[in-house]
Amino acid sequence: PATLSATPAGGSGSYTYQWSSNFEPDLGNTSSIDVVPSTTTVYTVVVQDNCGNSATANIVYTITSPPLTLTMSPGLEICPGDSAFISVEATGGYGDYYYDWVHSGETTPGVWVHPDRTTTYTVIVSDECQTFTVEGSTEVVIIKPTANFNSSSTTYFNDLPITFINQSQNAVNYEWTFGDGNFSDFTHPTNVYDEPGIYYVTLVAIDEKGCTDTITKPINIEEEWYIYVPNTFTPNGDGLNENFSIVTDPSCWDEWDLKIYNRWGNLVWESDSPLEYWDGDGATTAVYVWTLNASMSDFVIKRRGHITLFR
């Protein structure tokens, strides 16, 4: 810092002052000013008396060292849990440099950081004479993919293929474990479970930098069962396709409620057993609506469809 003063003599009456520099047009209107230039600067003062007479003087403030400038290490992208080395390179100023990393108080040009989220790190650098104090910042960005998946159905049975639909984001490679000893690196793999039970499916999603995210979901594999519903029957006495019934394993079902309606919505037949069938007695050729509500253990199905009766 320096104090610049103007001491006029002569003229008439009181004096007015106007300070400026080759960088700033208005630095004050007192007889002295305090300045802290960061580079060589020419200061000018114009003094005027009350008759309008003026005099001008220049003061050259010369800095023998260049301004202090910082070059920060470029921003980094790292995986969660990783570390990063960040640094600053100082040039200019005068003498040795002094460093103060705001986040930790460390006083070295470079530091290791271990962020758990995207973070901007700031360092304050001064030169030996404390003429210059400059701040610099760099950002460390936490990146990772997001693992997620679903499946091609909501009910799963042993000995039937299940396709897993990959819904991960920002990933390029995948590692699947299906909980039954099988593995896959396909994007949308298929697996067949031999036995009923609860299995835990794990997906590891990997991005281009090798960062990972993992998700695990349980899947309940039930004992395989089937259900087949015909769409036509012909109760005409020829001995072929005389009845309407749903083909399934009767032992699978704890509850069974099958209803058949005509086109006006009137109930024409119902059954509480998968062993029973409708023979179409009294019904005419038409399209009928059937509804089925059935359950086994905690599993419930609700189905609806059409059956055409031909005579």
Side-chain angles (χ1 to χ4, degrees):
T3 299
L4 309 182
S5 300
T7 305
S12 173
S14 58
Y15 304 105
T16 60
Y17 305 86
Q18 181 60 54
W19 292 88
S20 63
S21 75
N22 53 328
F23 299 109
E24 295 290 337
D26 185 3
L27 293 175
N29 54 15
T30 57
S31 61
S32 63
I33 59 171
D34 294 321
V35 297
V36 188
S38 59
T39 189
T40 296
T41 304
V42 177
Y43 294 94
T44 299
V45 61
V46 178
V47 182
Q48 190 174 55
D49 66 8
N50 60 358
C51 290
N53 300 311
S54 64
T56 302
N58 293 323
I59 303 172
V60 179
Y61 189 121
T62 301
I63 295 179
T64 57
S65 60
L68 176 63
T69 59
L70 305 182
T71 301
M72 300 296 300
S73 57
L76 299 173
E77 292 182 346
I78 64 172
C79 301
D82 285 354
S83 301
F85 185 77
I86 57 176
S87 62
V88 59
E89 180 182 355
T91 57
Y94 181 82
D96 295 330
Y97 302 115
Y98 299 90
Y99 307 90
D100 178 18
W101 292 92
V102 175
H103 72 282
S104 63
E106 293 171 275
T107 58
T108 54
V111 295
W112 284 95
V113 294
H114 318 275
D116 57 4
R117 63 181 62 88
T118 296
T119 304
T120 298
Y121 295 94
T122 299
V123 62
I124 301 173
V125 182
S126 302
D127 65 359
E128 187 171 348
C129 293
Q130 304 296 302
T131 305
F132 300 99
T133 299
V134 182
E135 288 188 5
S137 297
T138 190
E139 184 178 48
V140 179
V141 179
I142 301 296
I143 61 168
K144 72 168 187 175
T146 301
N148 195 18
F149 66 90
N150 212 324
S151 63
S152 56
S153 62
T154 57
T155 307
Y156 314 101
F157 303 100
N158 64 306
D159 297 326
L160 295 178
I162 301 170
T163 298
F164 294 95
I165 302 170
N166 196 329
Q167 298 173 319
S168 301
Q169 297 180 353
N170 304 320
V172 295
N173 294 304
Y174 309 96
E175 296 176 356
W176 296 83
T177 56
F178 300 110
D180 62 347
N182 291 332
F183 304 86
S184 177
D185 58 4
F186 290 173
T187 302
H188 305 289
T190 297
N191 191 52
V192 177
Y193 291 88
D194 297 330
E195 300 294 333
I198 296 177
Y199 298 87
Y200 291 90
V201 181
T202 298
L203 168 62
V204 179
I206 309 167
D207 68 9
E208 293 178 343
K209 296 182 179 295
C211 303
T212 63
D213 188 38
T214 303
I215 187 171
T216 299
K217 294 183 179 182
I219 184 172
N220 184 21
I221 305 299
E222 301 182 19
E223 188 76 36
E224 180 187 6
W225 58 271
Y226 65 88
I227 182 169
Y228 169 72
V229 185
N231 57 19
T232 304
F233 77 113
T234 57
N236 54 13
D238 64 358
L240 300 173
N241 198 23
E242 294 287 331
N243 305 306
F244 169 73
S245 63
I246 294 179
V247 181
T248 186
D249 182 355
S251 64
C252 290
W253 304 102
D254 301 322
E255 295 185 5
W256 184 269
D257 182 19
L258 175 63
K259 291 183 171 65
I260 297 178
Y261 302 87
N262 61 22
R263 62 179 180 175
W264 295 282
N266 298 321
L267 180 66
V268 298
W269 186 81
E270 65 178 323
S271 172
D272 61 2
S273 170
L275 295 173
E276 297 179 346
Y277 59 85
W278 181 41
D279 60 9
D281 184 35
T284 61
T285 296
V287 176
Y288 296 84
V289 175
W290 61 265
T291 63
L292 173 63
N293 294 312
S295 65
M296 62 171 79
S297 301
D298 295 329
F299 177 67
V300 177
I301 66 168
K302 294 185 178 182
R303 300 278 180 89
R304 178 186 178 91
H306 297 86
I307 180 72
T308 302
L309 186 154
F310 287 106
R311 288 196 181 275

